[in-house]
Amino acid sequence: MKITYYGHAALGIEVGGKHIIVDPFITGNPAAAHVDIKSLKADYILLTHAHGDHVLDVEAIAKATNAVIVSNAEIASYYAKLGFNSHPMNHGGSWKFDFGKVKYVNAIHSSSFPDGSYGGNPGGFVIEGEHKNIYIAGDTALTMDMKLIPMRTKLDLAILPIGNNFTMDVEDAIIASDFVECDKVLGYHFDTFGYIEINHEESIRKFFDKGKDLMLLAIGESIEL
């Protein structure tokens, strides 16, 4: 499984020979200006919620790739009405796709489209690939529901928001990693706006002091599990 960070909460995942884009907010992020969305491959687009800083480039990527948009029922319906392929889910439900099993799990946040349309309830994704399992938390507060995840799935990586103000901060993300029983964490949703700027060295040290590994990738950088 290869995971590429495209800035903010945007990710690219290659697994099982398929390409997945998560929460594509790229063209609106000056720090990601070097990323050409026309070059991105996508069989699926996974959306945690409907905020503009997570869905900005959905339509452009979906038009170019004919990707299937996977999200909660309201978001999937929104894009289906625009003529896009979509797969609706809801909390606690899972589906076996051709790249692995996906479960839609709880997140505590809000969700509405930039045009004011209702975006359903926000969520996160647990992806079980053939060899590796990951948790993409989406935008969320720390929640006790995270403790349910390791009861079903042993994680190899937790992808957690760490920017504070709109989501968890670093300290809560450390607790979240305890809840999901995964000490290998990829941080995201930080530095894009003034509200969510973090001290990188301090954040990494705080995880290290708890015996955990926090990875902060440069935009365009990848890791392999």
Side-chain angles (χ1 to χ4, degrees):
M1 184 182 292
K2 181 179 180 181
I3 301 170
T4 303
Y5 180 58
Y6 290 123
H8 197 52
L11 304 166
I13 302 172
E14 296 177 40
V15 57
K18 298 296 180 179
H19 293 83
I20 303 162
I21 299 292
V22 182
D23 287 356
F25 173 77
I26 300 170
T27 59
N29 182 1
H34 58 290
V35 178
D36 179 11
I37 66 169
K38 295 179 181 178
S39 69
L40 299 181
K41 297 179 181 179
D43 298 293
Y44 298 90
I45 300 173
L46 272 57
L47 303 176
T48 61
H49 64 292
H51 286 164
D53 60 330
H54 293 255
V55 304
L56 177 66
D57 297 314
V58 170
E59 294 183 33
I61 295 172
K63 285 179 182 177
T65 64
N66 202 34
V68 178
I69 298 168
V70 181
S71 191
N72 66 37
E74 290 80 8
I75 292 174
S77 175
Y78 178 94
Y79 285 111
K81 289 177 182 178
L82 296 177
F84 295 102
N85 297 321
S86 66
H87 179 105
M89 300 190 74
N90 220 318
H91 297 86
S94 61
W95 188 261
K96 290 185 178 180
F97 293 92
D98 51 7
F99 61 85
K101 179 182 174 182
V102 175
K103 186 172 185 176
Y104 192 65
V105 296
N106 287 347
I108 298 178
H109 197 60
S110 53
S111 179
S112 58
F113 285 93
D115 65 7
S117 299
Y118 177 52
N121 292 314
F125 295 101
V126 175
I127 300 176
E128 297 183 2
E130 184 178 357
H131 302 293
K132 300 293 181 179
N133 304 323
I134 66 172
Y135 167 47
I136 304 170
D139 284 13
T140 186
L142 178 66
T143 167
M144 294 292 285
D145 288 333
M146 293 173 179
K147 288 192 171 186
L148 299 174
I149 292 172
M151 296 174 71
R152 292 287 301 272
T153 305
K154 180 175 174 54
L155 297 174
D156 297 286
L157 178 71
I159 303 175
L160 306 176
I162 57 173
N164 204 4
N165 195 72
F166 298 112
T167 68
M168 296 187 293
D169 61 7
V170 168
E171 286 79 6
D172 277 354
I174 291 172
I175 298 172
S177 70
D178 287 336
F179 284 2
V180 300
E181 299 179 11
C182 184
D183 292 335
K184 190 171 186 178
V185 174
L186 175 62
Y188 78 161
H189 207 278
F190 64 91
D191 283 358
T192 318
F193 320 113
Y195 286 121
I196 59 174
E197 292 177 354
I198 66 167
N199 182 311
H200 290 213
E201 292 184 3
E202 181 181 30
S203 300
I204 292 170
R205 178 185 54 77
K206 286 180 178 179
F207 270 81
F208 180 81
D209 288 346
K210 296 294 185 179
K212 302 173 184 292
D213 179 20
L214 174 65
M215 293 173 287
L216 302 178
L217 300 180
I219 294 176
E221 188 177 1
S222 304
I223 58 170
E224 294 196 27
L225 301 178

